[in-house]
Amino acid sequence: MTTLTGTGRLSWFVVRRDRLRLLLWIGGIVGTVIASAAALPPVYPDQESIEQYTVLFGDNPALVAFAGPGYGFDDPNLGVILVNETQVFGMIGMALMAIFLVNRHTRAEEDVERAEVVRSSVVGRHAPTAAALAVVAAVVVLVSAACAVGFVATGYAVHGSVALAASLAAVGLVFVGITAVAAQIASTGRGTLGLASATLVATFVLRAVGDIGDNALRWLSPMGWAQAVRAFAGEVWWPIVLCLAAAGGLVGVAFWLFSRRDLGSGILATRGGPARGAASLSRPVGLAVRLHRGTVIGWAVGMFVTGLVYGSIGEDIEEMVEENPTFADILAQLEGASVTDAFFATSLLMLALIASGFAISAVLRLRSEEGAGRAEPLLAGPLGRIHWAASHLVVAVVGTVVVIAAGGLGIGVSYAVVAEDAGQVARMTLASLVTVPPALVLTGLTLALFGLAPRAVMVAWAVLAGVVVVGVLGEVLRLPAWTRQLSPFDHAPAVPAEDLRWFPVIVLLALAAALAAAGLAGFRRRDLRTE
């Protein structure tokens, strides 16, 4: 028996257990990237429109931060635009997939003590970790290969397509290694997610600062290495080798660290808490606030920064619309409004769609608490089920308002600076709050699924994906009007491009309340479920 005995069988077990989850990750990333690639040729049909794009996007620091340094802008082609539009977000998607999947099958398994049960069988010490890393790495490569095929099928050059897809895979593999190391350092699954996510943010910031300043800081980030492949701009392949070497080295470090810790513990020991907890922790809402506090702060900061980017281009939006028919199609959904107000209404919609991800994940915390068996001891006492679930719902609702308002505040602050109008801060912040009711409808839907059909609760993410497609691409894809009306966001007033109408706002709030009530009633009647 070796330390890798049982790796093959455990790999199959990981695939069997997560077959639906893996398909959702693969379909989500591949579908988004390929849809973006397919949308570009009609938008930039000739060399003149391609050169106009590079002139418009090349000098904006905010766009450089979120799109990349613009390799190939001196001799542009459509592939260069594809890289600028999809590479950074594709790399982030691959990194997030690696972080969540590796943590789920390594550190999180130790938290619920399933790893101990598996290790009690004829299984090598490193087999569970090796199986998880092998499956996730294979999924990363599969997503990359599918993207490459999609790029070529939509008319892009073969070499550039392979280089771009390889850069996405390279970042994904590096974060497979980073998460594997984080799983040895942290003492819990949540700690692993926090450590790996913080590393992702740090790599993004280093790359962005390096790209904006055109300095060596980008070389401290694996994203900077992957961008240095220069897809469609004279491909360079050695940065891929650098990423693969880093990924392999990180995996080796992870196995070495695993050999030097006890199962269930981390290299960094968990600090002992205070002898007496805060009085607020004895109440359900206080405990829920403590559990969600870090997530709310992280989302609010991220939304504020994203809002800053949207607001920074508010003064240039009219020129962008003239040069970009896609923007014109999206903004055409708001006929009669000024171009700038239509852009900000659309920007607030996009931020609200992103914030809906927080709303859904916050409600799903109920499922993770229940599945991990932590809800059962709480509910064994005088605490009622509705009281416990409602405490998390209250935090999810308040957190959604805070996160959305942070995005509106970011838009207002940056637009106030570029437009030299301080009144835009309050105007944009208040306008963002109009998008809260449709986001709360998704919150209520998630709670309804949790209470009435807990096995199908992940359907909430599929609903959000559908809402994003009809909300952002409905006009571009020429979707029928009835499909757009299925989205709750289609019924919210598009402030500031439209006047505020209270009736749809009240109806959406009532629908959200009804769904939440149904979910609470369903949870009260069903059995608790543990994983």
Side-chain angles (χ1 to χ4, degrees), residues 4-139:
L4 295 177
T5 297
T7 300
R9 180 164 295 185
L10 288 174
S11 299
W12 173 246
F13 173 72
V14 170
V15 174
R16 176 77 173 77
R17 179 186 172 198
D18 265 6
R19 56 191 184 281
L20 178 58
R21 190 182 300 266
L22 295 177
L23 287 176
L24 289 175
W25 273 110
I26 294 171
I29 295 177
V30 174
T32 303
V33 172
I34 299 304
S36 301
L40 292 179
V43 177
Y44 303 100
D46 51 38
Q47 188 62 28
E48 182 182 359
S49 61
I50 292 172
E51 291 177 356
Q52 288 173 344
Y53 172 93
T54 62
V55 172
L56 190 61
F57 281 75
D59 297 328
N60 189 313
L63 295 178
V64 170
F66 279 82
Y71 290 125
F73 274 18
D74 53 342
D75 184 19
N77 55 61
L78 188 59
V80 169
I81 297 180
L82 173 65
V83 172
N84 211 50
E85 294 282 326
T86 63
Q87 190 178 40
V88 169
F89 292 103
M91 290 190 296
I92 292 174
M94 293 285 251
L96 288 175
M97 180 178 71
I99 290 171
F100 281 103
L101 290 179
V102 171
N103 175 64
R104 172 176 167 80
H105 292 286
T106 55
R107 188 73 241 185
E109 287 292 281
E110 295 184 40
D111 287 354
V112 296
E113 300 180 354
R114 258 197 303 266
E116 188 173 358
V117 175
V118 172
R119 285 283 308 283
S120 66
S121 181
V122 186
V123 172
R125 180 180 182 84
H126 295 313
T129 301
L133 300 185
V135 171
V136 179
V139 171

Side-chain angles (χ1 to χ4, degrees), residues 332-522:
Q333 300 175 71
L334 302 170
E335 297 178 355
S338 72
V339 172
T340 304
D341 282 346
F343 167 71
F344 283 129
T346 304
S347 300
L348 291 173
L349 167 65
M350 292 181 179
L351 291 177
L353 291 171
I354 297 172
S356 297
F358 161 79
I360 292 174
S361 65
V363 176
L364 290 180
R365 184 61 187 261
L366 286 166
R367 177 176 178 270
S368 62
E369 291 294 304
E370 180 188 2
R374 289 188 288 269
E376 193 169 350
L378 289 174
L379 298 175
L383 177 62
R385 289 190 179 197
I386 290 182
H387 195 179
W388 175 71
S391 65
H392 283 267
L393 176 62
V394 168
V395 176
V397 170
V398 174
T400 301
V401 174
V402 170
V403 168
I404 288 178
L409 178 63
I411 290 179
V413 169
S414 60
Y415 186 53
V417 172
V418 298
E420 299 180 352
D421 181 3
Q424 296 297 334
V425 177
R427 180 171 178 256
M428 292 300 164
T429 304
L430 292 175
S432 69
L433 297 179
V434 180
T435 62
V436 169
L440 294 184
V441 170
L442 296 182
T443 305
L445 174 65
T446 308
L447 186 58
L449 290 170
F450 168 76
L452 299 171
R455 294 176 64 88
V457 70
M458 301 305 288
V459 170
W461 290 114
V463 173
L464 176 59
V467 168
V468 170
V469 170
V470 301
V472 178
L473 301 176
E475 190 68 28
V476 177
L477 300 177
R478 310 300 181 195
L479 295 178
W482 66 267
T483 60
R484 300 178 213 170
Q485 292 172 357
L486 293 175
S487 167
F489 289 91
D490 188 66
H491 302 281
V495 179
E498 295 179 354
D499 293 333
L500 176 60
R501 291 173 285 113
W502 284 104
F503 180 73
V505 171
I506 293 172
V507 171
L508 288 170
L509 289 175
L511 177 59
L515 288 169
L520 292 174

Side-chain angles (χ1 to χ4, degrees), residues 57-232:
F57 281 75
D59 297 328
N60 189 313
L63 295 178
V64 170
F66 279 82
Y71 290 125
F73 274 18
D74 53 342
D75 184 19
N77 55 61
L78 188 59
V80 169
I81 297 180
L82 173 65
V83 172
N84 211 50
E85 294 282 326
T86 63
Q87 190 178 40
V88 169
F89 292 103
M91 290 190 296
I92 292 174
M94 293 285 251
L96 288 175
M97 180 178 71
I99 290 171
F100 281 103
L101 290 179
V102 171
N103 175 64
R104 172 176 167 80
H105 292 286
T106 55
R107 188 73 241 185
E109 287 292 281
E110 295 184 40
D111 287 354
V112 296
E113 300 180 354
R114 258 197 303 266
E116 188 173 358
V117 175
V118 172
R119 285 283 308 283
S120 66
S121 181
V122 186
V123 172
R125 180 180 182 84
H126 295 313
T129 301
L133 300 185
V135 171
V136 179
V139 171
V140 167
V141 173
L142 179 61
V143 170
S144 172
C147 287
V149 172
F151 294 150
V152 175
T154 48
Y156 294 90
V158 174
H159 279 80
S161 298
V162 173
L164 176 57
S167 70
L168 303 183
V171 172
L173 292 175
V174 170
F175 273 89
V176 167
I178 288 174
T179 311
V181 172
Q184 315 312 315
I185 296 174
S187 300
T188 64
R190 291 182 61 194
T192 300
L193 285 179
L195 191 57
S197 300
T199 305
L200 175 59
V201 173
T203 58
F204 177 86
V205 172
L206 286 170
R207 181 211 57 79
V209 173
D211 286 346
I212 293 173
D214 193 20
N215 56 47
L217 280 178
R218 66 170 64 123
W219 290 103
L220 298 178
S221 165
M223 289 187 178
W225 307 345
Q227 286 181 328
V229 171
R230 302 175 68 96
F232 299 100

